[in-house]
Amino acid sequence: MIRQRIQKLTALVVLLCAALLPSAAIAQGAAPDGETLERIEDYVAEQFRSNGIIGGSYAIVRDGEVVAAAGLGVADLETEEPVTPETVYATASVTKVFTAAAILKLAEEGTIDLDAPVRTYIPWFTYKDRERSENVTIRHLLLHAAGVSRFEADGSIFREEKNNRDSLENAVRALGTVSMTDDPGERGAYCNSCYNVLGLVIEHATGADYEQYMKDIWFIPLGMEATSFDSAHAAHTASEYHWMFGMKRKSAPNHVVFGASQNPEGGIYSNVLDLSRFLAAMMGDGERPMLSAETLSRSQQGEIDAGDDAEYTLSGFEEKRIRGTRVLYKAGDGIGSTAYALMIPELRIGISILVGDSVPEFAAPLAEGMAAILLGETPDDVRVGVTFWRLLGFVSLGLVIIGLVLLLLLASSIVKRLRSPKPLKRKWRVIVRTALSAAFALPVAWLLIAVHPTQIGFYGYPHDFAIGLLSVLTACGLWTVFGLAQLAAGKGAR
């Protein structure tokens, strides 16, 4: 009697678990069925259309096999070449998960120690604070926890841009000018330069160029034939588009704009099929295991807060939950492209998205919508609206207009002054105007000279925004000079 009750109770518990944990049932089942994949295809096509995306592609890999892949839109607005799953795009910061995987493999082989100081492999490595720099480890770099500000570290390339742009070693040496904001490991702060340092660690530890090592040890073994660090490598590489004064225009390739020194953090070009091969390897699937199950499990656990309910992991991915299900993801925002890689370990599914627009606001919610469908839920529509870069373009245009108006007013004032010279009256107005002009000019000049928030553009600023700032700086600077000249002339006349 007691045994029968226990059996009934066990059966009831099993039924309740099955009802409350539908995603687990999916994980143990077969690959997504045709109806699910069709829903995803329709969903993605509608999001591309409603948000005016030029073109892109996606792929879904399950248990090492690509179960869905498609291209949408065009790879180039002029040629109107259609996008296919084979079309190559810049992956930007998705490159970081490749660099992290290479480091983890070297750690498995005993070539490097994740908890060893960076100086073990690069003896001269340092930030401005030499003492605290001694404590920066490989683990800290992987977890974006070296203790430096992203903006100052990224901008260090402009110290000697000509020497640093295409030299990984010179770019890492330039970090010696960067202040440390925290002790190593104290907190996470997104760090592009950390992964460039890791790239140099790979070079010093293996004796091979970073790019050649990645090709020989990762790309070729995984069959990633379309993947490289050069947009000209593949036959079908999409053009890259970004915003300039609020309008889309073709940009120079990502690798040209950033330079070879930024390859370890964002230089890979690939397509969604090749990315699927890599994601399969990162889930322990595929034809050739690249990392042990223990390394994969350990490296894919969140360790340091990344904000937005996510955590940085040693794998280069960030960990969070979507609809209650654990996922690992990495976003890439290039000069004229957007990339996104997402894994659902519970389902052994990976999603790759590549887009030929610099629209980071699009790829992340699109991937999450696709994941929702795979989890048997209703996806949210993606509503990009006015993107940050487009809004910045409009602001830049406004600054240019303000600068031109100020210059026209200045020209008019100078002409009037020359035509009918008069003694200076209402001196206080000239003083106030001169003070206001200087108050605008000096901070803008300081920003352009001392603050370099990114590795690209005009000393770290998007070109349209830089033009806007220079327009205002020029106008306010000339108004300041004009006001000082008026005050000096008025004093001399007395």
Side-chain angles (χ1 to χ4, degrees):
M1 185 72 175
I2 294 176
R3 182 178 179 181
Q4 289 179 340
R5 288 181 178 178
I6 291 174
Q7 289 176 336
K8 289 180 180 180
L9 182 60
T10 302
L12 180 60
V13 170
V14 170
L15 288 173
L16 285 172
C17 287
L20 294 173
L21 299 173
S23 60
I26 295 173
Q28 296 171 0
D33 59 27
E35 182 179 350
T36 299
L37 296 178
E38 187 175 343
R39 282 187 64 202
I40 290 175
E41 181 180 359
D42 292 342
Y43 170 76
V44 173
E46 174 58 24
Q47 305 317 307
F48 267 74
R49 185 200 62 77
S50 62
N51 288 285
I53 303 300
I54 291 173
S57 56
Y58 74 89
I60 301 172
V61 61
R62 163 75 186 240
D63 290 331
E65 297 291 332
V66 174
V67 296
L72 302 96
V74 298
D76 186 277
L77 290 174
E78 295 175 6
T79 65
E80 296 187 343
E81 176 187 351
V83 177
T84 72
E86 290 81 18
T87 302
V88 169
Y89 289 89
T91 69
S93 282
V94 171
T95 301
K96 290 180 175 66
V97 298
F98 286 84
T99 299
I103 289 289
L104 293 172
K105 187 172 182 64
L106 290 171
E108 266 194 357
E109 296 168 351
T111 305
I112 65 171
D113 179 355
L114 297 186
D115 292 308
V118 176
R119 287 185 181 177
T120 304
Y121 311 100
I122 310 175
W124 47 260
F125 169 79
T126 189
Y127 294 114
K128 186 181 290 185
D129 188 330
R130 293 182 178 276
E131 184 176 348
R132 285 202 287 181
S133 296
E134 293 179 358
N135 300 320
V136 178
T137 67
I138 304 300
R139 184 182 298 273
H140 293 146
L141 297 178
L142 287 169
L143 294 172
H144 300 268
V148 296
S149 163
R150 169 186 179 178
F151 300 114
E152 186 179 359
D154 284 354
S156 65
I157 195 171
F158 289 104
R159 298 288 178 177
E160 292 183 44
E161 184 181 7
K162 186 176 180 180
N163 294 328
N164 298 340
R165 181 62 67 186
D166 289 306
S167 169
L168 179 57
E169 179 173 324
N170 286 349
V172 174
R173 286 186 181 276
L175 296 174
T177 64
V178 175
S179 303
M180 296 186 72
T181 56
D182 301 286
D183 288 332
E186 183 177 343
R187 69 183 183 94
Y190 195 80
C191 182
N192 289 311
S193 61
C194 289
Y195 278 75
N196 290 329
V197 177
L198 289 171
L200 192 61
V201 167
I202 291 171
E203 292 195 347
H204 282 218
T206 65
D209 288 341
Y210 166 79
E211 293 82 3
Q212 191 63 46
Y213 176 83
M214 296 304 295
K215 178 181 178 181
D216 293 342
I217 306 301
W218 285 91
F219 301 165
I220 292 177
L222 287 176
M224 301 175 66
E225 297 180 359
T227 303
S228 72
F229 291 90
D230 186 349
S231 63
H233 170 78
H236 302 286
T237 301
S239 297
E240 300 171 49
Y241 292 88
H242 69 151
W243 297 101
M244 186 75 170
F245 293 117
M247 297 175 286
K248 283 183 183 178
R249 67 184 295 270
K250 187 181 292 189
S251 70
N254 195 73
H255 71 92
V256 173
V257 174
F258 281 88
S261 66
Q262 309 300 302
N263 277 347
E265 68 91 0
I268 286 179
Y269 277 77
S270 191
N271 61 32
V272 291
L273 300 179
D274 275 7
L275 289 181
S276 294
R277 294 183 178 94
F278 178 78
L279 293 182
M282 292 302 98
M283 292 185 287
D285 299 323
E287 298 179 359
R288 178 171 177 172
M290 300 297 291
L291 295 169
S292 69
E294 181 184 356
T295 294
L296 290 174
S297 175
R298 186 178 67 251
S299 67
Q300 293 175 2
Q301 301 299 317
E303 295 195 23
I304 289 185
D305 180 47
D308 296 326
D309 297 320
E311 291 183 307
Y312 293 121
T313 74
L314 292 172
S315 66
F317 288 94
E318 292 162 45
E319 181 190 45
K320 69 176 181 179
R321 290 189 172 272
I322 295 177
R323 311 292 179 101
T325 299
R326 174 176 173 267
V327 302
L328 295 157
Y329 70 96
K330 187 71 192 82
D333 180 15
I335 188 66
S337 64
T338 303
Y340 205 85
L342 182 146
M343 297 190 298
I344 312 175
E346 185 176 325
L347 305 184
R348 303 194 72 77
I349 283 179
I351 299 172
S352 305
I353 297 173
L354 294 171
V355 179
D357 271 323
S358 182
V359 191
E361 298 90 344
F362 177 73
L366 178 68
E368 294 186 10
M370 295 169 68
I373 295 174
L374 290 166
L375 293 169
E377 300 192 24
T378 302
D380 295 327
D381 286 330
V382 180
R383 294 183 175 86
V384 171
V386 179
T387 69
F388 171 79
W389 294 116
R390 190 177 190 187
L391 179 61
L392 187 64
F394 289 141
V395 171
S396 303
L397 184 60
L399 290 174
V400 171
I401 292 172
I402 290 172
L404 291 175
V405 169
L406 290 174
L407 287 173
L408 288 173
L409 291 174
L410 175 61
S412 176
S413 296
I414 292 174
V415 169
K416 288 180 180 178
R417 185 75 178 169
L418 292 174
R419 285 180 176 176
S420 54
K422 295 179 180 178
L424 182 62
K425 296 180 179 180
R426 297 180 182 177
K427 181 179 178 181
W428 66 269
R429 292 180 60 180
V430 177
I431 293 174
V432 170
R433 186 185 66 204
T434 303
L436 287 174
S437 298
F440 278 104
L442 292 176
V444 172
W446 178 81
L447 279 175
L448 291 172
I449 294 171
V451 181
H452 310 301
T454 73
Q455 318 98 307
I456 58 172
F458 181 82
Y459 288 93
Y461 296 90
H463 287 101
D464 51 358
F465 190 55
I467 292 171
L469 290 176
L470 287 170
S471 298
V472 173
L473 173 61
T474 301
C476 290
L478 290 175
W479 268 109
T480 301
V481 172
F482 177 60
L484 292 174
Q486 281 186 291
L487 292 172
K491 185 177 179 180
R494 291 196 301 272

